[in-house]
Amino acid sequence: MSLFFRNTFPLVAAVAGLFFLGSARLEAQQEIPETGFVIEDTPAVSDAPAIPDTIAIPRFENDPAAPNTEVITESHTMVVPDVEAVEIPKELIGDAPTEEESVMAEDATVEEKVDEKDSVVKMIESLPITEAPLKAEELRAKSTPTKPGQVGSSIMTRTEARTFTFSIPAPRGQLLDRNGYPLAQSKVAYYASISFPFLGGNVADDQVLRYAAERIFHVNKVLGSDWTLSTDVVLKHYKDRRWVPLTFSSVLTPEEVDELNRQKMEGLMLHPVYIRHYPQGPTLSHVVGYVGKRPPRTTGPIVNDEALWGQGMGVDGLEEAFETDLRGKPGRVNVLFEADGTKTKEDVLSRPSPGYNVVTSIDLEMQQICEDILAEKVKRGAMVIMDVRNGDVMAMASFPQFDPNDFIPSISQEKYSELVQDPEKPLFPRAFRAAYPPASTFKVPVALGFLESGYISASDLYPCPSSWQVGNLVMRNWNKNGEGLMNVIGALTRSCNTWFYEVATSAGADSMSYMATRLGLGQKTGLPLNEVEGFIPSNRWWLDKYGYMMSDGEEAVMSIGQGKVETTPIQIARMMAGIGNGRQVLKPRLVKQIQDVNHEIVRSFPVEVSNSLNVDGYSLRAVRRGMYDVVNAGNGTGKAAYHKITVSGKTGTGQWKVANEQNVAWFAGYFPAKYPIYSFAVIYEGDPGEKVGGGKNAAPVVGEFLERYLTEENYNRVRDAANVLKENDVSDVEDFSYRDAMPSIFRGRSQGELVGEIIPEEEQAQPEPQQPQRPSRGGIFSRLFNRR
């Protein structure tokens, strides 16, 4: 190792030691509850928790009986079938404004390839094996000495005594989870490189090439590698830049470093640099991103304050979003070279300052459980978990994943092509950059919009037939058998499409689009990532684009989350967080703090409220009861997510890529059902022609997550957090029972139990059901949405 880089390495290592000491300090504080060393924020809605409903929704201490797959009624037994996507008439399938998919490899640094005819290693294969390697002293002795004192741009005329000032890159800051576990770090790595001595004033080009080739050949022989350089790169480097190392290898492993230290050779050195390292591998890869965009190999004469090695920049994810904070401040060193090219002196002018650490809201335990379950149960999909109290993103998983370490410091052309051309799209962050039809999960804001508009009340009954007709078009329910009259709670529980068709054509599109937008759908959530907006159509948009307002058929399709409606998994999770806390729609918070290497807070990110929910307590309670019954009633469509902590949710199954017969399955909601702490959203991408269902494919993912995550410790922590909400409950809304004022349609006629009764269609035939009278509730909403 040359004098300069032997002396510079302790400086690099010292900075790295300080940097990793910071990491050790972080890990030492991991036992601190919830946020570790991070200052905990006051929950945004802790002083105004969700409206209590002690009668309608049991708390998880009152462990409800596990739901049966059969629903017992007075007259018959009905087996609950899997809910599958209903076929939308082609006349109502629009060209939804889907945004172009953006993957995470557009700025990757790909390893450079050397043409075999230009390889310096090839030139020495013809040399006799017995010929000894060249040495600098022998070459200098054969050359004509240069005249002292001459200065010029050519190696043939200038003196070799030079002084340079170099910039020392700083170690990049860390990315950490909420408890201090590292997600991205910088570490010291080594490259094999050529350190050219002065080879003489009139040394021939073939001698320079041979000197370089022999060093590369030696490394390849020792390590069994096949590295090389082009002849043009070698000659230009020697003539203009021979005072700095010429790297030619990939990053060396510790074993390779040890082996080269044992088998040293003149002019061969180990060049230390900082590189990025992702200790969790593929975990959270779509959120973290990676470091790429490395500058090309520097050419031309050395200039003052030139960096000792090229630094990469963040590519996508948090690495790109917080590039300025993570990058750090470089140091400076002054180096003196004698006339023969040897380095004799160096002065450190300033030491590099490590970049800031970015503390995320991610809970690594939750994240890894989510990713493990997706890998087991989902071919392609995503899962998001949020804290309903403050908007913290606890987990955000997209599957399949990639390993960001493959891109450090550069990725091979073969691996790059494999990732980009993979039909499963492992580089595509589905959780926040994929827009899907929300399907029946959209019935949650739709139902709330119906109730708030004043067109229906929670006790109004509408039919749920097997099909519904508008003009010449027939639109069907997922259940081929009619299910009789039901209220909004029953319609959510059974996910009855035809019920929503009927009400949507009366309430109109604006009641749906207004509430969906208020809950944050169809708009970017504010994550510090490149996310898509999705889309929520409205009468205004329809009028501007087509010259008329939405028709009954188009409103019906919209009511079940199809047609032009598109949302992302993070938007659905945020919507469920708003329904769960009952007060506010929060901006998802992915980053909590920026800290320096000594853990001093440089900048923090407070809880932000996007919208105040401002809905009637009775309307909200009806929707929440319907979501509770989806999982806990015997005939709900989300029984696979049942857990003793009690879960409320909504399944969804929708047409996605119609031409390919490819559908999606959803399950979204929150837990615990009574005083929610976390919301969630899961999406499952089906294969072409595959029959999927939210209850069959997505709800089991949540059920499995609860089984794995809610250990005794975590269960008690969630229970205690829910009890805090209960104690701080300052709701002034009087206790209300769905069982009295808004009876579920699935209640037996004579008992007060939820037994899942479905009124047979023949009992509804005479007389014809009378249209419910419009309630007087709704106030401004009723006047706002009254279009007829």
Side-chain angles (χ1 to χ4, degrees):
M1 188 179 292
S2 65
L3 173 63
F4 168 49
F5 287 97
R6 273 203 314 271
N7 293 338
T8 304
F9 175 67
L11 174 63
V12 175
V15 176
L18 174 64
F19 192 61
F20 287 107
L21 177 60
S23 176
R25 291 173 181 170
L26 294 178
E27 294 183 4
Q29 301 186 45
Q30 290 166 4
E31 297 180 359
I32 298 178
E34 193 65 28
T35 57
F37 60 91
V38 182
I39 296 178
E40 180 64 33
D41 298 286
T42 302
V45 292
S46 62
D47 58 344
I51 299 173
D53 198 354
T54 55
I55 301 177
I57 300 180
R59 281 173 55 74
F60 49 85
E61 287 85 351
N62 307 325
D63 187 10
N68 299 320
T69 57
E70 294 187 343
V71 181
I72 309 299
T73 68
E74 294 179 355
S75 57
H76 64 281
T77 300
M78 180 187 70
V79 178
V80 179
D82 291 326
V83 180
E84 296 179 356
V86 296
E87 184 176 351
I88 305 299
K90 294 181 180 180
E91 294 85 346
L92 299 177
I93 298 178
D95 51 342
T98 304
E99 301 186 42
E100 184 178 354
E101 294 180 352
S102 174
V103 298
M104 303 184 70
E106 296 174 352
D107 294 305
T109 303
V110 182
E111 289 179 355
E112 58 182 286
K113 291 289 186 180
V114 178
D115 196 319
E116 186 172 325
K117 66 181 180 181
D118 295 328
S119 170
V120 295
V121 176
K122 288 293 181 181
M123 67 171 294
I124 66 171
E125 292 180 352
S126 59
L127 297 176
I129 299 178
T130 57
E131 190 166 344
L134 292 177
K135 293 186 177 181
E137 185 177 356
E138 297 173 356
L139 291 174
R140 285 197 297 268
K142 295 178 182 179
S143 66
T144 303
T146 58
K147 296 179 180 181
Q150 291 182 335
V151 179
S153 60
S154 171
I155 190 67
M156 306 300 296
T157 61
R158 70 185 178 209
T159 59
E160 298 304 320
R162 299 292 296 273
T163 300
F164 294 108
T165 301
F166 292 101
S167 171
I168 307 173
R172 196 173 176 87
Q174 300 183 91
L175 290 171
L176 306 162
D177 92 323
R178 65 189 301 114
N179 298 311
Y181 290 102
L183 305 173
Q185 295 177 315
S186 290
K187 69 175 184 179
V188 177
Y190 297 90
Y191 290 96
S193 59
I194 301 168
S195 178
F196 281 108
F198 179 56
L199 300 179
N202 58 351
V203 63
D205 286 351
D206 61 340
Q207 297 296 302
V208 175
L209 293 174
R210 178 182 168 186
Y211 188 89
E214 288 174 343
R215 275 72 194 159
I216 299 174
F217 183 81
H218 171 75
V219 172
N220 287 343
K221 182 178 179 181
V222 171
L223 302 182
S225 53
D226 57 353
W227 295 310
T228 188
L229 289 170
S230 70
T231 57
D232 186 58
V233 167
V234 172
L235 291 176
K236 287 183 177 180
H237 184 90
Y238 180 79
K239 292 179 179 179
D240 293 329
R241 308 181 54 79
R242 67 174 182 79
W243 295 270
V244 296
L246 174 61
T247 59
F248 60 84
S249 73
S250 305
V251 173
L252 301 175
T253 65
E255 294 75 18
E256 291 172 335
V257 170
D258 292 341
E259 189 63 31
L260 290 180
N261 276 326
R262 284 192 293 269
Q263 302 194 43
K264 298 179 181 180
M265 186 178 187
E266 179 199 285
L268 183 64
M269 63 164 289
L270 298 175
H271 181 32
V273 298
Y274 288 122
I275 65 169
R276 206 58 165 159
H277 174 60
Y278 301 96
Q280 310 303 332
T283 299
L284 206 68
S285 55
H286 296 99
V287 174
V288 170
Y290 58 90
V291 171
K293 297 182 182 177
R294 299 186 68 84
R297 188 187 296 273
T298 306
T299 59
I302 298 173
V303 297
N304 276 336
D305 289 323
E306 181 179 299
L308 289 175
W309 62 85
Q311 281 187 292
M313 297 177 63
V315 175
D316 221 314
L318 296 176
E319 290 278 28
E320 179 185 39
F322 291 89
E323 172 68 26
T324 304
D325 296 295
L326 292 167
R327 195 167 184 82
K329 183 179 179 180
R332 299 177 74 233
V333 61
N334 198 311
V335 186
L336 174 65
F337 297 88
E338 285 291 0
D340 62 355
T342 59
K343 307 170 187 66
T344 60
K345 184 180 180 182
E346 68 177 44
D347 294 320
V348 177
L349 306 179
S350 62
R351 292 179 175 272
S353 299
Y356 293 143
N357 297 327
V358 176
V359 183
T360 70
S361 62
I362 295 295
D363 184 299
L364 189 58
E365 179 187 8
M366 276 192 180
Q367 180 73 27
Q368 290 175 335
I369 293 174
C370 289
E371 293 180 357
D372 290 345
I373 297 173
L374 288 177
E376 296 169 11
K377 296 182 176 293
V378 172
K379 302 172 184 177
R380 295 167 304 279
M383 183 173 186
V384 179
I385 298 178
M386 281 182 59
D387 191 320
V388 307
R389 301 165 296 174
N390 51 30
D392 280 359
V393 179
M394 308 298 293
M396 188 158 56
S398 299
F399 185 81
Q401 306 154 275
F402 68 96
D403 190 344
N405 290 303
D406 291 337
F407 291 84
I408 307 300
S410 58
I411 187 170
S412 67
Q413 184 61 59
E414 294 76 17
K415 184 64 176 178
Y416 179 79
S417 299
E418 177 187 339
L419 288 172
V420 172
Q421 298 170 9
D422 190 334
E424 304 297 327
K425 299 181 180 178
L427 295 171
F428 187 41
R430 291 170 165 84
F432 55 90
R433 204 173 293 170
Y436 302 95
S440 290
T441 61
F442 194 63
K443 291 174 182 175
V444 172
V446 166
L448 190 56
F450 289 164
L451 292 165
E452 281 296 286
S453 69
Y455 275 98
I456 67 169
S457 70
S459 58
D460 287 345
L461 302 179
Y462 282 84
C464 177
S466 59
S467 63
W468 181 85
Q469 186 169 352
V470 54
N472 296 325
L473 299 178
V474 176
M475 302 172 64
R476 304 189 182 280
N477 188 26
W478 63 268
N479 190 350
K480 297 179 180 180
N481 300 317
E483 300 195 19
L485 292 171
M486 57 179 61
N487 61 13
V488 66
I489 300 172
L492 287 170
T493 305
R494 293 293 293 156
S495 197
C496 178
N497 293 331
T498 49
W499 189 97
F500 281 89
Y501 298 157
E502 178 66 27
V503 181
T505 57
S506 299
D510 287 336
S511 63
M512 297 183 283
S513 60
Y514 175 82
M515 188 55 64
T517 303
R518 191 159 192 79
L519 284 165
L521 301 182
Q523 52 195 286
K524 293 184 178 180
T525 64
L527 290 173
L529 303 172
N530 179 18
E531 57 176 329
V532 298
E533 286 186 347
F535 186 71
I536 301 296
S538 65
N539 270 325
R540 170 64 66 182
W541 181 87
W542 216 275
L543 188 63
D544 291 342
K545 184 174 179 63
Y546 299 109
Y548 62 90
M549 298 213 298
M550 296 175 69
S551 66
D552 287 349
E554 289 155 346
E555 289 172 339
V557 170
M558 178 181 177
S559 72
I560 62 169
Q562 294 275 194
K564 297 186 182 297
V565 182
E566 287 191 333
T567 60
T568 63
I570 183 66
Q571 290 176 8
I572 296 295
R574 175 168 76 157
M575 175 191 74
M576 291 300 181
I579 297 294
N581 70 52
R583 289 291 187 271
Q584 298 164 328
V585 179
L586 300 169
K587 176 182 175 180
R589 183 171 61 167
L590 185 58
V591 174
K592 295 172 72 69
Q593 292 176 352
I594 307 294
Q595 299 181 348
D596 64 19
V597 70
N598 296 316
H599 316 311
E600 296 295 330
I601 297 176
V602 176
R603 188 165 76 255
S604 61
F605 297 85
V607 176
E608 295 185 42
V609 178
S610 299
N611 288 315
S612 294
L613 202 53
N614 288 337
V615 296
D616 181 76
Y618 293 92
S619 301
L620 181 64
R621 293 147 75 86
V623 171
R624 292 180 64 170
R625 175 54 193 265
M627 294 175 61
Y628 174 82
D629 284 352
V630 165
V631 179
N632 299 282
N635 52 0
T637 58
K639 299 182 298 296
Y642 173 84
H643 192 275
K644 67 178 181 179
I645 203 169
T646 68
V647 180
S648 290
K650 185 70 192 76
T651 57
T653 309
Q655 289 179 283
W656 179 34
K657 298 182 178 180
V658 180
N660 298 335
E661 297 183 357
Q662 194 171 4
N663 298 334
V664 293
W666 286 90
F667 186 62
Y670 48 80
F671 66 92
K674 178 59 180 170
Y675 290 102
I677 302 300
Y678 298 119
S679 66
F680 58 82
V682 174
I683 189 165
Y684 175 101
E685 287 185 15
D687 287 329
E690 180 185 3
K691 292 184 177 181
V692 302
K696 178 176 66 175
N697 299 104
V701 174
V702 175
E704 184 64 25
F705 170 81
L706 295 174
E707 286 295 325
R708 298 189 191 183
Y709 176 70
L710 291 178
T711 60
E712 181 179 0
E713 179 183 356
N714 289 336
Y715 179 91
N716 291 335
R717 185 176 57 81
V718 174
R719 181 192 61 189
D720 293 343
N723 286 333
V724 170
L725 292 181
K726 180 181 179 182
E727 293 169 0
N728 294 334
D729 183 9
V730 293
S731 173
D732 57 357
V733 179
E734 62 183 17
D735 283 344
F736 178 80
S737 172
Y738 293 114
R739 298 174 185 269
D740 299 328
M742 290 191 296
S744 171
I745 194 61
F746 303 114
R747 182 171 358 147
R749 293 189 180 96
S750 57
Q751 289 99 0
E753 300 175 329
L754 292 176
V755 294
E757 179 186 27
I758 304 300
I759 302 177
E761 289 189 5
E762 55 268 27
E763 294 185 18
Q764 306 168 25
Q766 66 280 348
E768 185 174 349
Q770 184 177 355
Q771 184 70 10
Q773 184 179 4
R774 301 295 182 204
S776 58
R777 279 196 315 112
I780 187 174
F781 291 102
S782 178
R783 295 190 296 274
L784 177 63
F785 299 127
N786 193 345
R787 60 167 189 165
R788 304 185 190 281

